[in-house]
Amino acid sequence: MNVHVQMSPWEALLVLGAFALVLVRWLPPGLRRPVTFGAAAGFVLSGAVLGLLGLRWQMVPVLAAAAVALPFALSPLLRRATRRAPWWLALPGSAVCLALVAAGPAAVWAVPAPVFPEPTGRFAVGTGVLELTDPERAESATAAPDDRRTVVVQFWYPARKHPAGSRPAPYLGRTEHEARLVSGALADYAGLPGFLLDGLPRARTHAAFGVPAADGAPGEDAGGGSAERFPVVLFSPGLGGVRTQNTAWAEELAAHGYVVVGLDHPYDSAAVVLADGRTVRTEVSATGDDAEDEKRAAAWTAVRAADLSFVRAQLGRIDGGEIAGPLAGHLDTARVAAAGHSLGGGAALQAARQDPAFAAVIDLDGFPHDPSPQPFRQPVLALTQAIGPDTDPDYLPKLTRVLGLSSATTYRLTVPGAAHLTFTDAPLYLPPLPSLVGSLGRTEGPRITAGASLAFLDAALRDGRGDPAAALSAYGTLAVHRPGGS
């Protein structure tokens, strides 16, 4: 996908009109009248349309520049005897207005609405949302004794070709209203003004809600499983993150024949919208005390690991049709991987240790917080950011120790140029600052995350696909731990 400054035609007309109004004072006399009236008409028309459709904050400096320039451009044409400002006074004003006009496209480039890469697999992508309540677990975040633990999950799955008229699903929610609630909560959690992320609710993904699941091709499953059943990957987001934070990754996996299930963890995720209309905001917070924060992180990780195991156990009900939906008869419940980013990656490792029914683990730059790690049997892919002086010095040693407890082969892949958020959708919409999202550009981080995950999953969940080491090595520096040192 080519990345460019993403402006609508009306926004482009607004910028062009403002630019012309600022420069008209410096044009030859014969051009001033037609350019002024044409630019003013285009500016007013585009401004009115954007006012109806929804004006993005990035266009505010463009409006301000044009509002200042418009009277100075029109007044000499409407009154015969008008003294124009001397050039030495007009030049600084024009320069300031041009800078404001340029700030609009620059802000669109820095904080765009995300455009998701087109999935490269042969399947279209469907999506759906379920709310699941565990009758055996009390909700530890509330005092009500009858409050049971509830999670909201979103599925991305291999689908048939989307029917005509189907609409792409919004990012961050089932509706644009839900997406706006979640976007505002994410901004609050990050300490950012809400308007900075107002492009997220406008974004559309490549998935469609409720479309029929695909039928697998004969012989697709080299492991002998049913060709119509797809392996499953459960995903836990980062601390305060939400189920959709890795949508580009999920859609790519789904297009290649995997069902991805993203979890919202109530009272941890930034905002979770429940079926009864309630919005549950995050209650997790750090204290600044390392020992206390590690204790809290271990508790949050334990809750998330239990959530992952609970959802894995519900897959049989979904596959059997007990829970209605398009995935009945399509889930390979014997081939389920636990995955996560950051705190969710640590939760995936812990869930696998506690629940041997998981077949594999993907840890996307997640620190293990299990206070008593024990041997486990699943293969693991751990993707890590580039390690530098600001990286927690305990991170790699502890991760390496945990990976060494697996009785299967584990892979630790360090991606050059990556930062912690590289392995999420964040590079698609946050400012391209290396310290924030790495130095790999808008789409390379999501591409590498999905490509490495697919190479590993094909080997771990689809028997006979070979050792993924060679494919993984193409993405960065690979450390492989094989049982017995072989």
Side-chain angles (χ1 to χ4, degrees):
M1 180 187 72
N2 294 324
V3 177
H4 51 276
V5 176
Q6 298 160 11
M7 292 192 298
S8 71
W10 293 110
E11 289 173 332
L13 181 60
L14 185 79
V15 171
L16 182 62
F19 181 76
L21 288 173
V22 174
L23 289 184
V24 71
R25 189 247 186 262
W26 308 98
L27 295 178
L31 293 177
R32 290 173 189 162
R33 180 177 292 273
V35 170
T36 298
F37 286 125
F43 172 77
V44 171
L45 176 62
S46 58
V49 171
L50 290 173
L52 294 174
L53 297 178
L55 185 72
R56 293 200 286 175
W57 65 268
Q58 290 96 328
M59 294 296 106
V60 171
V62 180
L63 287 174
V68 171
L70 186 60
F72 292 98
L74 287 176
S75 59
L77 306 180
L78 300 178
R79 292 185 295 175
R80 293 184 177 180
T82 300
R83 300 184 63 181
R84 302 176 67 203
W87 72 267
W88 51 268
L89 189 60
L91 186 60
S94 296
V96 170
C97 287
L98 285 176
L100 288 172
V101 173
V108 171
W109 171 80
V111 192
V115 175
F116 291 91
E118 187 80 32
T120 63
R122 67 185 183 88
F123 294 106
V125 181
T127 191
V129 178
L130 285 176
E131 187 173 305
L132 302 171
T133 299
D134 186 351
E136 304 299 322
R137 267 197 306 159
E139 176 52 74
S140 59
T142 66
D146 58 347
D147 194 3
R148 302 291 94 183
R149 179 65 173 172
T150 295
V151 294
V152 177
V153 299
Q154 182 159 348
F155 292 78
W156 292 265
Y157 56 89
R160 301 175 191 173
K161 184 178 179 181
H162 295 172
S166 60
R167 296 189 62 194
Y171 187 44
L172 296 186
R174 286 157 283 195
T175 64
E176 188 166 324
H177 174 69
E178 180 179 344
R180 290 193 178 281
L181 289 175
V182 175
S183 174
L186 286 171
D188 288 345
Y189 186 79
L192 298 173
F195 70 83
L196 286 179
L197 299 184
D198 77 345
L200 300 187
R202 303 169 187 263
R204 292 295 180 269
T205 67
H206 294 287
F209 278 109
V211 295
D215 293 325
E220 176 193 340
D221 188 345
S226 169
E228 288 79 25
R229 296 183 184 275
F230 300 104
V232 183
V233 182
L234 304 188
F235 175 77
S236 177
L239 183 66
V242 295
R243 65 179 188 260
T244 55
Q245 69 164 54
N246 277 52
T247 290
W249 173 82
E251 290 187 334
E252 181 70 1
L253 267 58
H256 284 268
Y258 293 89
V259 174
V260 180
V261 187
L263 278 69
D264 267 336
H265 303 279
Y267 305 99
D268 179 338
S269 294
V272 182
V273 179
L274 301 177
D276 62 8
R278 288 182 298 141
T279 299
V280 180
R281 300 291 293 266
T282 183
E283 292 186 0
V284 299
S285 62
T287 65
D289 179 87
D290 290 343
E292 176 61 23
D293 288 344
E294 178 57 31
K295 181 180 177 181
R296 293 188 178 194
W300 300 330
T301 301
V303 172
R304 284 163 166 257
D307 288 345
L308 286 166
S309 289
F310 165 65
V311 174
R312 184 204 57 73
Q314 299 303 299
L315 296 176
R317 298 177 61 209
I318 297 168
D319 182 63
E322 185 179 345
I323 299 176
L327 292 174
H330 290 280
L331 300 181
D332 189 341
T333 58
R335 298 171 187 244
V336 182
H341 171 253
S342 192
L343 190 75
L349 286 167
Q350 187 165 334
R353 192 263 289 179
Q354 296 173 347
D355 185 351
F358 282 110
V361 182
I362 296 178
D363 174 13
L364 303 178
D365 209 30
F367 189 101
H369 292 286
D370 190 341
S372 56
Q374 302 293 323
F376 59 101
R377 67 170 190 82
Q378 296 92 339
V380 180
L381 170 64
L383 271 65
T384 71
Q385 62 182 297
I387 306 302
D390 295 331
T391 309
D392 186 340
D394 292 332
Y395 173 36
L396 278 189
K398 185 163 186 180
L399 177 61
T400 301
R401 287 196 300 272
V402 170
L403 296 181
L405 293 172
S406 175
S407 60
T409 301
T410 63
Y411 306 87
R412 178 170 58 81
L413 178 65
T414 301
V415 180
H420 188 55
L421 295 180
T422 296
F423 307 109
T424 71
D425 295 331
L428 300 175
Y429 59 83
L430 289 183
L433 302 175
S435 60
L436 186 63
V437 296
S439 57
L440 297 175
R442 290 284 184 202
T443 60
E444 190 66 3
R447 184 191 72 81
I448 289 175
T449 306
S453 297
L454 284 170
F456 171 74
L457 290 169
D458 284 349
L461 299 186
R462 288 176 166 149
D463 298 341
R465 300 299 175 99
D467 189 337
L472 293 174
S473 296
Y475 297 114
T477 303
L478 183 67
V480 181
H481 177 269
R482 303 183 191 278
S486 60

